[in-house]
Amino acid sequence: MNDILEPIFRRRAVKVFDPVEIPQEVREQILNAARHAPSSFNMQPYRFYWVQSPAKRKTVAKLCMGQKPAETATALVVAVSDIGSMHATSRGQVEWMRKSGFSDEKIRDYERTAKVGRIIFMPGPFGIFGGLKWSIFRLVNLWKTFGMPPVSRQGIFKWAAKGTSLACQNLMIAAEALGLHSCPMEGFDGRRLAKFLGLSSRHHEIVMVIAIGRKSCDYSETPQWRRPFEATVTVL
Ligand SMILES: Cc1cc2nc3c(=O)[nH]c(=O)nc-3n(C[C@H](O)[C@H](O)[C@H](O)COP(=O)(O)O)c2cc1C
C-alpha cells in the first residue's frame, strides 16, 4: 500500500499502552507534523500541551476521568484552540515575509487581508459586534454570493476547532508512522483541565486530549467498523 495511506489505515484508538520512552526527536517530529496541517487563513489557531512529567500526567489522566488510555499513556497531548493568538500570528507572518524577501506589495496585501480578517473574526467585548456583523453580512448575502464568516465567539471557536482537529489528525498519523499509537479523547473535565493548564475561557477551548504511547502487548482491538461507503459519500 502507499506509504502515507498505510499508517492512516493502520491507526486505531488504542485503549491500553505499555510504558515506553518517546525520544525528544520523535516528540518534535510528531508535533511538527501537527503544525503542518492546513488552517483557515493559515492562522494556526491552536496550542498543544505535551504532558509527559509523571506527576502532571497523573493529574491530567485523572481529569480525563481516569480513562485507561490516559492512565497508561506515555504522553498526553492537550489540543487547545487559541483564538487569542491571531494578532501575534499575523504579525509573525509579516515579519517572516519581510525576512524572506517578499515584495512590499505582497506584504501590504497580506496586511490588508489580515486586518479585514481580524475585524471580521473579533466578536468585540461581550460579543457586541457579533450581532451587528451578522446582520450586515446576512443583508449583503441576500443579493451577493458570499460565505458567512463566524461572528460570535462560539462561531469563532468552532472555526478554530476545525484547524485544531486537522492538526490533531496529523499528529495521530505521525505517531502511527513513527511506530507509536494514540487515542483521541473527548471525555475530560474541561473546566478543571483548563484551570490546571492556566487557560483563559476568553481565548482558549480544549478540543481533545490525545493519549500517545506504545500499544500494550496484552491489548487487542475489536474489529474496526465504518458506516457503508454509500452512507457517507455522495458523488455528484
Ligand atoms: C473527538 C473524539 C473523541 C473521542 N473520545 C474518546 C474518549 O473519550 N475515550 C475513548 O476511549 N475513545 C474516544 N474516542 C475514540 C473513538 O471512540 C474511536 O476513534 C472510534 O470508536 C473509532 O475507532 P478507531 O479510531 O479505532 O477506528 C474519541 C474519538 C474522537 C475523534
Side-chain angles (χ1 to χ4, degrees):
M1 194 191 279
N2 171 288
D3 286 353
I4 295 172
L5 294 183
E6 208 273 327
I8 291 177
F9 283 109
R10 201 178 57 219
R11 185 217 56 81
R12 294 300 311 274
V14 166
K15 309 291 172 169
V16 191
F17 299 94
D18 277 343
V20 65
E21 270 278 304
I22 302 181
Q24 187 183 337
E25 323 78 85
V26 174
R27 180 181 79 208
E28 284 172 6
Q29 273 184 297
I30 292 172
L31 290 165
N32 273 327
R35 292 172 349 95
H36 272 73
S39 61
S40 173
F41 289 98
N42 196 20
M43 273 293 151
Q44 306 152 57
Y46 45 70
R47 174 169 284 272
F48 291 98
Y49 292 81
W50 180 283
V51 185
Q52 63 178 18
S53 91
K56 292 196 168 80
R57 222 175 52 216
K58 196 169 166 199
T59 306
V60 174
K62 212 167 127 196
L63 296 175
C64 290
M65 273 101 85
Q67 293 192 67
K68 199 82 181 163
E71 292 216 310
T72 55
T74 298
L76 292 168
V77 186
V78 187
V80 178
S81 283
D82 178 5
I83 63 169
S85 63
M86 285 195 267
H87 212 140
T89 305
S90 46
R91 267 204 320 267
Q93 180 155 351
V94 168
E95 254 168 56
W96 168 79
M97 288 174 89
R98 283 208 181 98
K99 278 195 208 130
S100 309
F102 279 73
S103 67
D104 287 347
E105 194 193 343
K106 279 249 169 356
I107 295 174
R108 263 199 312 277
D109 276 355
Y110 172 76
E111 282 178 321
R112 214 172 296 127
T113 310
K115 197 171 177 184
V116 171
R118 276 203 304 278
I119 293 168
I120 291 175
F121 277 55
M122 275 302 116
F126 309 108
I128 49 171
F129 301 139
L132 183 67
K133 278 186 231 168
W134 187 88
S135 315
I136 294 169
F137 289 132
R138 192 71 188 84
L139 209 64
V140 175
N141 182 246
L142 287 178
W143 76 88
K144 203 169 163 28
T145 306
F146 191 73
M148 283 292 282
V151 282
S152 66
R153 190 171 295 279
Q154 202 186 14
I156 295 163
F157 271 127
K158 184 175 156 193
W159 164 84
K162 294 179 201 173
T164 311
S165 300
L166 289 177
C168 287
Q169 178 66 358
N170 263 21
L171 186 146
M172 290 187 281
I173 299 306
E176 191 71 37
L178 293 166
L180 294 166
H181 305 104
S182 63
C183 182
M185 291 176 295
E186 219 167 15
F188 53 80
D189 183 328
R191 191 176 63 80
R192 288 190 168 83
L193 186 51
K195 192 166 174 222
F196 174 71
L197 296 172
L199 306 178
S200 97
S201 58
R202 197 170 142 74
H203 292 140
H204 303 128
E205 198 164 86
I206 302 171
V207 174
M208 68 183 87
V209 180
I210 302 173
I212 300 190
R214 171 86 35 83
K215 181 169 75 172
S216 168
C217 308
D218 303 327
Y219 174 74
S220 52
E221 295 109 346
T222 51
Q224 191 177 39
W225 178 78
R226 288 295 185 265
R227 295 165 69 201
F229 190 88
E230 303 70 38
T232 50
V233 177
T234 303
V235 180
L236 299 172

